[in-house]
Amino acid sequence: TQAAPALTLKRAIELALQNSADLQLAKIQARLANNSAQITKAEFLPNLYTGSGAGYTYGIPETPGGRAPALFNVTYTQQILNEPLRGQAKELQEQASAQKIVLEDVRNGVIVRTAMAYLELGKVRHSLELLRAEQDSADRILQVTTGRENEGFELPIEVTRAQLTKAQVVQRILQLEGRQDELEVFLRLQLGFAVEQPVEILPEDLPGEAEQEGANLVAMAMQNNVGLQLAQADVRAKEFRLKGEKRGYFPTLELVGIYSVLGKFNNYTEFFRTFQRNNFNAGIDVNLPLFSARTKAAVGLAQVNLEAAKATLSNRRTEVSTDVRQKTRSVRERDAAKEVARLELQLAQADVAVFQSQFAEGKLNLREVEKARLTENERWMAYLDANFQRQQAQLELLRAAGQLDKVWQ
């Protein structure tokens, strides 16, 4: 069978967004919040009910709800003016809208986890290639050292050192192979691959670059940071609730109507002058609060909740500003560390070239050349680690500043 083409980072993120169970759950929660908000809002829409209150009566005909027993009835209700209830409805609607922000945060999390796993897998596989070459060099060094020890030119401790170097390389290979397996399993789950399907990737760097100016990043974060948007939405929701509770001293007005079909067997003629089988009543139900302890308590609670939400928002703004500046510094530090690792690698590569030239001239033995190659491989892996740490810092900065879409656009 033909091997599947290697995945690009962009394609991996697209597949992860399509197959993420976390994202599907967040979408369900968003629909749940929206439907919950509609329940309270429905009180301000026409509501029509039908039923029956037929039953045996002895004495004045009435039901536990105060209505006359009816063979059949239709009831209509619709809230027109009820500010506390309207405030609750707007609060729930704002909270439902905030679930879209939560959904965006979950989406960002999927992008970050997928990108980090993809980039780390590339780093691990490259490191394994270097370590396997390093293992060959360690084998050659051990052979040369053992031969020199047999000839009396080396102490036994040098053989032990060579054995230790080889053992350390083997240990690191096993550790990286374990990490490679973990990353492949994670990516298969994220991308919706079969259990045994190979994960082929391309060596890539992050395509998006965040602004390096701290002030610009802070301004972007103040507009796009998910945590800050959630705090702002919570303040708006609490403001709606407080506004509604303060208007709890206003009258409430509800449209009501009822149609009922009565039966003579409920003794209506014994207690009323006339009997009418079909009855219809419609009008408005108005309540004017003269004194309401509940309203006063509700206003107090809503006020405290709003103050708490505003305090949380203020703290969140400070945290976002500090966090973005810290992550900006971290990216610059990782950039510097990557440059140091690159120069060390360049120097090690130059040393190998010099040693190989001297070996060809007979000025150095094979062991010294292999040691230089070991050093070069170590510098390569240090460079790969520094580059991956920089990529991690870059992803965290992009997420904090709300620019994560740059990773895959």
Side-chain angles (χ1 to χ4, degrees):
T1 59
Q2 187 176 2
L7 286 171
T8 62
L9 176 59
K10 179 179 178 180
R11 181 56 182 162
I13 291 174
E14 289 174 350
L15 288 173
L17 292 175
Q18 292 172 13
N19 295 281
S20 172
D22 292 338
L23 198 56
Q24 296 302 320
L25 178 60
K27 289 179 180 178
I28 293 172
Q29 291 173 337
R31 292 200 300 270
L32 177 63
N34 185 63
N35 290 338
S36 298
Q38 295 301 318
I39 294 175
T40 304
K41 184 180 177 181
E43 296 293 328
F44 293 91
L45 301 174
N47 295 277
L48 199 64
Y49 308 94
T50 185
S52 174
Y56 170 77
T57 59
Y58 177 77
I60 296 177
E62 62 179 348
T63 61
R67 291 181 178 177
L71 298 174
F72 171 78
N73 64 67
V74 176
T75 304
Y76 170 85
T77 63
Q78 181 180 358
Q79 292 284 348
I80 301 299
L81 182 64
N82 189 325
E83 291 304 313
L85 189 60
R86 191 180 299 278
Q88 293 177 31
K90 289 184 176 181
E91 179 187 30
L92 291 173
Q93 287 173 357
E94 187 63 39
Q95 290 173 346
S97 298
Q99 284 297 316
K100 296 178 182 178
I101 304 174
V102 174
L103 181 61
E104 183 69 17
D105 188 43
V106 173
R107 176 177 172 275
N108 289 345
V110 171
I111 292 175
V112 168
R113 290 193 298 273
T114 303
M116 282 191 176
Y118 181 100
L119 295 169
E120 187 179 0
L121 181 59
K123 184 207 77 164
V124 167
R125 287 180 174 176
H126 195 168
S127 298
L128 280 170
E129 292 175 6
L130 294 170
L131 280 172
R132 290 183 180 116
E134 192 170 324
Q135 187 178 18
D136 293 337
S137 294
D139 284 335
R140 285 192 287 269
I141 290 173
L142 180 59
Q143 289 173 4
V144 171
T145 305
T146 302
R148 288 174 60 83
E149 190 245 351
N150 292 335
E151 295 171 0
F153 295 110
E154 294 287 356
L155 295 174
I157 192 173
E158 295 301 328
V159 176
T160 304
R161 285 198 180 98
Q163 291 172 338
L164 175 60
T165 299
K166 179 181 177 181
Q168 288 172 334
V169 171
V170 171
Q171 181 187 35
R172 292 173 67 185
I173 289 175
L174 291 173
Q175 290 172 341
L176 285 181
E177 285 177 343
R179 182 58 181 162
Q180 177 182 237
D181 184 63
E182 292 174 2
L183 292 169
E184 288 176 350
V185 170
F186 174 78
L187 282 174
R188 287 191 191 99
L189 290 174
Q190 287 288 102
L191 307 181
F193 283 5
V195 176
E196 298 300 329
Q197 183 173 347
V199 180
E200 299 297 334
I201 63 173
L202 297 172
E204 287 191 44
D205 201 350
L206 289 176
E209 292 290 338
E211 298 273 349
Q212 294 299 306
E213 293 296 329
N216 293 341
L217 283 171
V218 170
M220 292 177 185
M222 290 301 174
Q223 293 180 351
N224 303 316
N225 183 268
V226 172
L228 196 55
Q229 289 178 341
L230 285 173
Q232 291 168 342
D234 190 44
V235 169
R236 289 193 297 269
K238 297 300 187 289
E239 286 174 342
F240 284 133
R241 184 61 178 267
L242 177 61
K243 183 178 179 180
E245 296 297 352
K246 283 183 175 180
R247 292 181 175 181
Y249 297 104
F250 294 0
T252 61
L253 188 151
E254 182 181 15
L255 291 180
V256 295
I258 183 169
Y259 167 77
S260 58
V261 178
L262 307 181
K264 286 187 177 181
F265 60 83
N266 287 119
N267 305 321
Y268 285 106
T269 55
E270 296 182 15
F271 299 96
F272 300 95
R273 292 182 180 179
T274 58
F275 170 77
Q276 183 171 319
R277 181 174 296 276
N278 296 287
N279 301 270
F280 175 73
N281 297 274
I284 58 174
D285 182 12
V286 179
N287 288 287
L288 179 62
L290 300 178
F291 175 77
S292 175
R294 182 206 168 280
T295 300
K296 182 178 180 181
V299 169
L301 177 61
Q303 182 68 55
V304 170
N305 286 335
L306 176 58
E307 290 173 0
K310 286 182 176 179
T312 300
L313 175 59
S314 178
N315 292 338
R316 186 60 185 164
R317 285 196 177 107
T318 303
E319 290 172 2
V320 168
S321 176
T322 303
D323 189 45
V324 169
R325 294 182 189 277
Q326 187 274 329
K327 284 181 169 57
T328 303
R329 290 193 299 270
S330 179
V331 168
R332 291 175 179 170
E333 290 169 3
R334 296 293 184 270
D335 278 335
K338 178 183 175 183
E339 179 63 13
V340 169
R342 186 189 69 80
L343 292 172
E344 289 178 341
L345 172 60
Q346 184 177 339
L347 185 60
Q349 289 171 331
D351 288 341
V352 169
V354 171
F355 283 21
Q356 285 177 333
S357 176
Q358 292 178 346
F359 174 73
E361 296 172 0
K363 297 179 181 179
L364 284 179
N365 59 38
L366 180 62
R367 184 176 62 172
E368 297 302 322
V369 176
E370 294 301 333
K371 283 184 177 179
R373 285 175 178 159
L374 282 179
T375 302
E376 180 192 9
N377 284 339
E378 291 296 322
R379 295 292 181 263
W380 250 117
M381 286 186 288
Y383 174 77
L384 293 175
D385 287 337
N387 185 51
F388 178 63
Q389 289 172 5
R390 177 197 167 279
Q391 290 171 333
Q392 285 182 308
Q394 185 73 27
L395 279 171
E396 292 172 358
L397 178 59
L398 287 167
R399 185 176 187 179
Q403 302 180 75
L404 200 55
D405 281 342
K406 285 188 175 185
V407 175
W408 66 297
Q409 281 185 348

